[in-house]
Amino acid sequence: MISISYFDLVKERDPAVKNNLEIILTYPGVHALWFHKVGHFLYRKNRFVIARVISQIGRFFTGIEIHPGAKIGPGLFIDHGMGVVIGETAEIGKNVLLFHGVTLGGTGKDQGKRHPTVGDNVIIGAGVKVLGPITIGNNAKVGANAVVLEDVPDGATVVGIPAEIKHIGKAEKSSL
């Protein structure tokens, strides 16, 4: 299941939540992570087809597509979630916040590592597209609807199409 600390994390990041039962019953981001845990376990055991089937069932129920090969650190919170896509070779650090419509995808041009690596304590706004084997540094913030095609340094805030650095703060923990 999920730990009490994860309930606290959800409550901290979403002031609309009233209690743990509401999280269990109505938070698709939480449900998608449950499906991913099962699918990722099977993927690591080389049970690729059943892992993909489980991820697609999760997508059907939540609107969130997480490839079972993706590596996800503790504390990921997917707020609202509909339309989120996380590719096979994506890696997500600790305490990351993703909003709806985020894609951590490939460009179709790369072999091997094809998807982004997201550092710790990162916030990625609604509708953001992060494409290719690039890195979003620790404590970075990506503004809504940005298209990120190049590495983002630690502590940076990026916005726009294509994304440009607007601010580089201290590389301290973001206030999620």
Side-chain angles (χ1 to χ4, degrees):
M1 196 84 156
I2 59 178
S3 67
I4 296 301
S5 62
Y6 193 76
F7 286 118
D8 292 338
L9 178 131
V10 172
K11 290 175 187 174
E12 177 183 313
R13 295 187 183 170
D14 188 351
V17 70
K18 304 295 186 255
N19 56 53
N20 294 349
L21 183 61
E22 181 181 11
I23 295 168
I24 291 168
L25 295 176
T26 67
Y27 276 64
V30 173
H31 302 152
L33 291 173
W34 291 343
F35 280 104
H36 179 264
K37 283 188 183 294
V38 173
H40 187 67
F41 173 81
L42 293 167
Y43 189 86
R44 288 191 336 257
K45 301 290 185 189
N46 297 322
R47 305 286 190 227
F48 302 120
V49 174
I50 189 66
R52 288 297 304 270
V53 168
I54 288 169
S55 77
Q56 292 302 301
I57 292 169
R59 177 181 176 228
F60 175 80
F61 283 110
T62 67
I64 299 168
E65 182 173 348
I66 306 174
H67 191 284
K71 295 176 183 171
I72 296 177
L76 172 63
F77 181 60
I78 303 172
D79 199 2
H80 300 288
M82 184 61 74
V84 168
V85 177
I86 301 172
E88 178 183 22
T89 62
E91 298 176 48
I92 299 175
K94 298 181 291 192
N95 303 316
V96 171
L97 174 58
L98 300 180
F99 287 93
H100 58 281
V102 168
T103 298
L104 302 178
T107 62
K109 299 176 185 176
D110 301 295
Q111 299 292 318
K113 174 78 167 128
R114 304 179 313 280
H115 302 96
T117 298
V118 177
D120 298 340
N121 308 307
V122 172
I123 299 172
I124 300 181
V128 169
K129 308 305 175 220
V130 184
L131 304 175
I134 63 175
T135 299
I136 306 295
N138 296 328
N139 308 302
K141 296 176 183 170
V142 182
N145 294 313
V147 177
V148 185
L149 303 172
E150 297 179 357
D151 289 348
V152 175
D154 290 353
T157 299
V158 297
V159 298
I161 303 173
E164 295 179 355
I165 297 172
K166 292 299 177 187
H167 173 52
I168 297 181
K170 292 181 182 176
E172 296 173 3
K173 185 175 180 179
S174 296
S175 58
L176 298 176

